[in-house]
Amino acid sequence: MTTATTAGRLPVDLRDPALLLAALPYLIGFRPARSVVLLGHRAPEGDRAGLILRAGIPRREDRARQAQALAPLLAAGCHTGVTVAIVGGRRRSGSPPPHAGLVKHLAKALGEYGLPILHAMWTTGITTNARWACYEEDELCGGRLPDPRATVVAAAATERGQVVFDSRAEMAALLDPRCPETIARRAELLARLPEPGGFDAASEIRAAFGRLRRGEGPPSDEEAVLLANALTIPEIRDECLGMAVPPESSAAREAERLWLTLVRELPAPERAQPAALLGYTAYLRGDGTFAGMALENALEADPGHVLADLLLRVLSRGMPPEQLLGLAEHADPGERPASG
């Protein structure tokens, strides 16, 4: 499975291989293992990280196919070149780093789009003192990784309150239903109920924020159904987008907590709405990996969800989060069902 993200507001140094490798968990949100990571160098200078892609190491017979699948994603963005990082495998004495064949396939596929590999490197794993080396024949290019927690990127991520997971699966588990039986029961309730009417949707959203702040736990069936119906109203949904700004503010983080709660508490297709809001909020604060997971969750619940599809396409092209602020800023702050 491919994970796409951007560096967001993290200070990434593309010139130091060891520091870049050590920073990978903070760039993609989890510690990669047996992975290939492609970091696009954003135009025009090429010294800023653009789109970041992570995929599993393929079988030998699948190398060319995977390279051909990844290359167009980097080509769709404004990149001047690509840095390739391979994580996993053992290096035999006197031999080049493992998975050199995959790097060659990537070079060929990317070259067809005019994207050179500016640097290709390998490490056994993202841990302190792990061995790393470059694929070019340079004995001086290699050594031991520093403590990933001691990098500038780690410090910036920690200051922002970013959590790094041990694996992609651990991060994805945040979106799992809290109680499948409850979800099934609410699906039946939503299927039986007539079209919603006669309730104040904005008040329901405000009440949900109040319960969240008071730590009252998951919504009741009645509350969950009312919230699901509230988010089907276009004006309410659009105003909820506005809660994502300013990114990383306490209000935006509170909104993100509510959307995550509803993703875990609502059935398909209703959970698509909070999942799309969750994806957008996470994207704006620079967590493209979790944003992509939320948007994929939304499309799984409702394959025709327009906003989720649009945002996932934008994410796959490496668009900087700040360029999406317009979606939130169009909402009138005076009309939003405010969280505070």
Side-chain angles (χ1 to χ4, degrees):
M1 181 176 291
T2 301
T3 299
T5 187
T6 65
R9 298 170 180 81
L10 293 177
V12 184
D13 188 347
L14 295 171
R15 298 165 300 178
D16 189 313
L19 289 178
L20 182 56
L21 286 168
L24 287 182
Y26 298 91
L27 296 179
I28 63 177
F30 59 90
R31 190 183 304 276
R34 192 166 174 75
S35 299
V36 53
V37 182
L38 280 66
L39 300 95
H41 292 238
R42 185 174 295 159
E45 295 86 0
D47 57 352
R48 296 177 57 204
L51 181 65
I52 302 172
L53 297 176
R54 187 221 66 94
I57 299 291
R59 296 177 297 181
R60 185 182 299 271
E61 60 268 27
D62 294 329
R63 287 174 175 173
R65 187 181 301 109
Q66 186 189 68
Q68 292 163 5
L70 293 175
L73 300 177
L74 271 300
C78 296
H79 297 108
T80 60
V82 179
T83 286
V84 175
I86 303 290
V87 182
R90 294 183 179 181
R91 184 180 186 181
R92 296 178 180 176
S93 178
S95 300
H99 309 298
L102 174 58
V103 175
K104 291 181 180 179
H105 281 293
L106 287 168
K108 179 179 179 181
L110 290 165
E112 292 176 356
Y113 292 93
L115 288 174
I117 290 182
L118 303 176
H119 205 141
M121 49 200 176
W122 158 85
T123 181
T124 56
I126 312 300
T127 56
T128 304
N129 288 325
R131 292 182 59 198
W132 73 275
C134 298
Y135 283 91
E136 59 236 37
E137 296 182 3
D138 184 349
E139 294 182 357
L140 299 179
C141 189
R144 300 283 179 172
L145 291 187
D147 184 349
R149 298 168 297 181
T151 64
V152 173
V153 172
T158 301
E159 184 178 357
R160 294 171 51 203
Q162 179 179 333
V163 177
V164 174
F165 294 85
D166 284 336
S167 67
R168 187 184 193 280
E170 183 179 316
M171 177 185 278
L174 291 177
L175 300 169
D176 289 345
R178 179 184 61 84
C179 176
E181 293 78 9
T182 299
I183 297 294
R185 185 174 64 249
R186 291 171 181 172
E188 293 180 2
L189 288 172
L190 286 161
R192 291 201 308 264
L193 289 176
E195 287 296 316
F199 77 107
D200 186 338
S203 293
E204 291 299 330
I205 299 292
R206 284 194 293 269
F209 278 112
R211 293 191 295 271
L212 185 72
R213 288 193 298 274
R214 294 190 296 271
E216 294 184 6
S220 66
D221 285 355
E222 179 182 3
E223 291 163 349
V225 168
L226 287 172
L227 288 168
N229 286 330
L231 291 178
T232 64
I233 300 173
E235 294 81 7
I236 295 296
R237 181 195 60 220
D238 292 345
E239 288 164 7
C240 287
L241 283 171
M243 297 178 187
V245 293
E248 301 185 52
S249 65
S250 58
R253 288 191 174 275
E254 190 174 61
E256 186 171 340
R257 286 174 57 204
L258 179 58
W259 310 146
L260 176 57
T261 296
L262 294 181
V263 168
R264 303 187 67 199
E265 296 292 334
L266 294 179
E270 287 80 10
R271 80 166 188 270
Q273 298 288 13
L277 292 170
L278 175 63
Y280 179 63
T281 308
Y283 195 172
L284 285 195
R285 68 171 171 80
D287 191 346
T289 300
F290 191 53
M293 291 178 179
L295 296 171
E296 289 170 356
N297 187 290
L299 290 173
E300 178 185 310
D302 179 4
H305 198 280
V306 176
L307 177 61
D309 182 65
L310 171 65
L311 291 174
L312 198 57
R313 290 175 183 270
V314 168
L315 175 60
S316 69
R317 286 166 172 74
M319 181 179 288
E322 54 268 22
Q323 293 186 17
L324 290 177
L325 284 172
L327 284 176
E329 292 174 342
H330 82 283
D332 182 352
E335 297 181 354
R336 296 176 193 168
S339 63

